[in-house]
Amino acid sequence: QDYVRLIDAQVQMVRAVPLGTKPPKTILPPLFDVVDEPKLPPIEPDAAPTPEQLVLTGPPGTGKTLRLMREGIRRANSGEDVLFVCYNKTLAAEMRRDFAQKVPALGEGKILATHIYALVKYLLPDATLRMDNASEYFRHMVEAVRNQISQEAGSVETFDTILIDESQDLSEDAIQLLKLISKPGASWLVAYGEGQELYDPFKPAPSLVSWMENASKRELRRNYRSGTHAFFANQAFYEGGKSNPIDVAKAKEWVSKLIASNVEDVNLKSKNFLDLDFSPAAAASINVHVSDQNRTKDLVSEVLTQMTTDMMGAMSDSEVNALIIVKGKTSQAYLESVVFLESKGLACFDLVQDSNKNEIPTGTSIRLVSHLSARGLSADFVVVFDFDEVTESNRRNISYVVLSRASKKTTVAVRNRFVTSHTENLVSVVDHVRVELNKRGH
C-alpha cells in the first residue's frame, strides 16, 4: 500500500502556463548528474547562438536527445524560434512534457516539439488531402507547403533552429519539408542513430546523407544510461546481428576485445576511455527470465511482481520508473499487463493505444509501449515481452532498441516452451559478457 501511494504521488499533470507571465530566463540544467561528465564551456543564455550545422552520432544512451534539448533551450532563451521534430509519436509527447517542465515560459523565443506527421498538420491546419500511404501523404503535403509559400510569402511558419531526433527514419519528403520551413541561415542539429532504423526502407534519406557529409560531426561514445553489462551486451548483440540469425561467435569475439581495451584504458587512466563507466553505480544488466509458467497471465504476474519489488528497492529520495514493452495492442502480454496493474491499483500511462500517443504524458512511473514506440524512451527498470516475436525483417534493430532502454535493469521475459533461437542467442551473449567482465574484476 505504501508503494502504491508513492507511485501515485508521482502522477503529476503538466499544466499550461497562464498567458501574460514572463519569468526570468531559464537556467540550463547540467547534461548529466555525474562527476566525470566532460566540462562544457559556460553558456550565456542571453548571448546570440551562432548558426550551426551539427550531426550527433552514437549508440543509445549516449545523450543525443538530451543535448538537442539543452541546445533548444539555449537558443529559445536567446529569442530564436526552435522546432524539435522526431518520428516517434511517444517521444514527441515526452519532449513536450520535458520542455513544459524545464521551460515553463520563454521570453522572446519559443520551442515547438512535435512528430513529423503532426508538423504537417500544424503548418497547414486547413489542408485536407487524402492519402493511400505515408509516402503519398508527405509528397502531397510538401508540395502543398511549397505552393503556399510561393503564393503568399510568410504564410507558413519558419524556424531559426531545427532539432531533428531519430533522423535515420525520416523520409526524403520529410527532409525536404524541413528545408522549406528553415529560415535563411537556420541551424540544423541532428541526432543520427545508426542501427536504430525501425521503418522501411531502413536507411536514411539521400538528402540527409548529403547534408551530413558537410556538417560538423560529434560522436558520443560515453554511455550514461545502460550501465556496464547492459551496454556491452546490447552492443555485442547488435554487432553480431549483421547476419540473420545472429553470429554468436562473432559477437563474443568482438565484445571480448572491446571489454579488454576498455578495462586497459581504465587501468591506465587513459583519456581515450569514453565508452562507459565501470563505477558501482553503473551496474545495470540485461537478464533473461525464462519461466516454466504455462499461461501468459502467470508469466506477466511473476515478472511484474518482481519489477515492483525492484522499484521498491530503488526508492529513496528520488523517483523511480519502469517501462513495459510489448509487441503491440494484440499482444496477450499487453492485455495481461493492463489487468495486473489495475488489480494492484498501480497507475500507468498506456502508450500502446494510438489515442494516447499524442497526449502529453503525466509523470506516472509506469508506462506501457510497443516495440516500435520504445525508441527515445528510457526508465530505471524495463520489462520486455514478446522478444521472440520481434519481426524478422528488422529483428536486429528492434532488438537493439528494446535492450537499451534501462538505466538499472532490463528483464526479457519468455515462457520456456516458446523460447526460440533468438532468445537463446541473447542468453549466450549476455552470459559471455558477464563472464568477461567478472574475470577482469568488474
Side-chain angles (χ1 to χ4, degrees):
Q1 291 173 343
D2 290 339
Y3 168 69
V4 171
R5 282 196 292 270
L6 285 168
I7 295 297
D8 286 344
Q10 292 181 221
V11 183
Q12 298 176 353
M13 294 299 295
V14 176
R15 294 181 173 84
V17 175
L19 296 175
T21 60
K22 189 174 180 181
K25 296 288 187 180
T26 303
I27 298 175
L28 293 172
L31 278 174
F32 303 98
D33 295 325
V34 291
V35 295
D36 51 1
E37 159 69 10
K39 299 301 180 185
L40 298 173
I43 293 176
E44 296 296 335
D46 288 320
T50 56
E52 190 172 5
Q53 309 298 311
L54 174 67
V55 55
L56 300 168
T57 63
T62 49
K64 298 186 294 295
T65 300
L66 192 55
R67 290 172 193 272
L68 290 183
M69 175 188 291
R70 191 170 186 269
E71 187 65 16
I73 293 172
R74 182 173 80 98
R75 289 174 177 272
N77 274 338
S78 67
E80 290 191 2
D81 290 335
V82 178
L83 170 67
F84 175 96
V85 64
C86 59
Y87 190 97
N88 189 349
K89 293 179 181 178
T90 56
L91 174 58
E94 293 269 328
M95 294 302 294
R96 285 196 294 277
R97 180 193 66 189
D98 289 344
F99 280 127
Q101 291 173 336
K102 293 178 172 62
V103 193
L106 292 162
E108 297 82 2
K110 74 171 187 180
I111 298 177
L112 170 66
T114 183
H115 60 88
I116 191 66
Y117 291 94
L119 173 63
V120 174
K121 192 64 178 175
Y122 172 82
L123 295 170
L124 297 177
D126 298 327
T128 54
L129 290 175
R130 295 177 59 187
M131 68 171 183
D132 297 323
N133 54 57
S135 297
E136 286 296 315
Y137 174 71
F138 264 108
R139 192 170 297 116
H140 285 303
M141 290 303 280
V142 168
E143 193 60 33
V145 171
R146 183 180 287 112
N147 290 338
Q148 181 68 25
I149 292 173
S150 63
Q151 292 171 11
E152 185 180 352
S155 60
V156 175
E157 187 171 353
T158 56
F159 298 88
D160 301 292
T161 292
I162 308 289
L163 308 174
I164 308 176
D165 210 348
E166 306 178 313
S167 65
Q168 63 273 7
D169 269 327
L170 294 190
S171 68
E172 179 64 26
D173 286 315
I175 299 299
Q176 295 302 323
L177 173 65
L178 295 174
K179 288 183 177 181
L180 285 174
I181 60 174
S182 298
K183 292 181 181 178
S187 298
W188 274 39
L189 293 94
V190 176
Y192 177 73
E194 183 179 2
Q196 299 178 60
E197 299 90 348
L198 298 184
Y199 300 93
D200 191 48
F202 309 121
K203 58 183 179 181
S207 62
L208 178 66
V209 174
S210 299
W211 174 85
M212 288 194 294
E213 290 175 354
N214 299 313
S216 301
K217 297 177 179 62
R218 187 175 303 162
E219 181 184 6
L220 307 181
R221 295 177 54 212
R222 187 65 178 273
N223 193 284
Y224 293 93
R225 179 196 298 151
S226 297
T228 309
H229 175 263
F231 175 77
F232 281 130
N234 68 51
Q235 292 296 302
F237 202 67
Y238 176 75
E239 184 66 22
K242 291 179 179 178
S243 60
N244 190 13
I246 179 177
D247 187 333
V248 175
K250 179 180 179 181
K252 290 180 178 180
E253 179 184 6
W254 180 85
V255 79
S256 293
K257 292 179 180 178
L258 185 63
I259 291 172
S261 65
N262 274 271
V263 171
E264 182 180 1
D265 285 343
V266 171
N267 293 339
L268 296 175
K269 297 183 178 179
S270 168
K271 292 182 179 179
N272 293 324
F273 170 65
L274 294 172
D275 283 312
L276 72 163
D277 188 2
F278 279 93
S279 70
S285 62
I286 295 175
N287 301 279
V288 182
H289 180 95
V290 181
S291 174
D292 290 326
Q293 298 287 0
N294 289 322
R295 300 188 303 172
T296 301
K297 176 181 180 179
D298 297 325
L299 170 68
V300 168
S301 177
E302 188 175 85
V303 174
L304 296 191
T305 297
Q306 181 60 50
M307 182 194 78
T308 57
T309 301
D310 292 337
M311 292 177 74
M312 281 188 279
M315 275 183 153
S316 56
D317 295 331
S318 60
E319 294 183 343
V320 64
N321 54 26
L323 201 60
I324 301 170
I325 306 177
V326 298
K327 183 178 180 180
K329 62 181 67 175
T330 61
S331 162
Q332 186 65 30
Y334 161 64
L335 300 174
E336 297 295 351
S337 294
V338 171
V339 171
F340 176 87
L341 295 172
E342 288 179 348
S343 71
K344 301 298 181 183
L346 293 172
C348 74
F349 197 83
D350 185 353
L351 291 165
V352 175
Q353 296 298 325
D354 292 335
S355 58
N356 290 335
K357 290 181 179 178
N358 286 320
E359 298 295 323
I360 295 180
T362 67
T364 308
S365 300
I366 301 172
R367 289 165 292 168
L368 280 159
V369 296
S370 69
H371 289 163
L372 292 176
S373 297
R375 188 180 59 194
L377 308 183
S378 62
D380 297 309
F381 298 96
V382 172
V383 174
V384 181
F385 291 110
D386 309 319
F387 188 72
D388 285 313
E389 297 183 42
V390 173
T391 174
E392 288 193 19
S393 64
N394 198 22
R395 173 169 280 181
R396 181 193 186 204
N397 290 359
I398 293 176
S399 300
Y400 185 44
V401 167
V402 300
L403 293 173
S404 57
R405 301 298 100 200
S407 60
K408 296 187 183 298
K409 180 181 178 181
T410 297
T411 300
V412 178
V414 294
R415 282 187 287 167
N416 195 16
R417 63 189 179 127
F418 292 116
V419 170
T420 68
S421 60
H422 187 51
T423 298
E424 290 173 345
N425 290 334
L426 176 63
V427 172
S428 183
V429 170
V430 298
D431 284 350
H432 176 78
V433 170
R434 192 170 279 115
V435 169
E436 288 290 290
L437 288 169
N438 284 338
K439 75 182 185 182
R440 289 176 172 81
H442 295 282

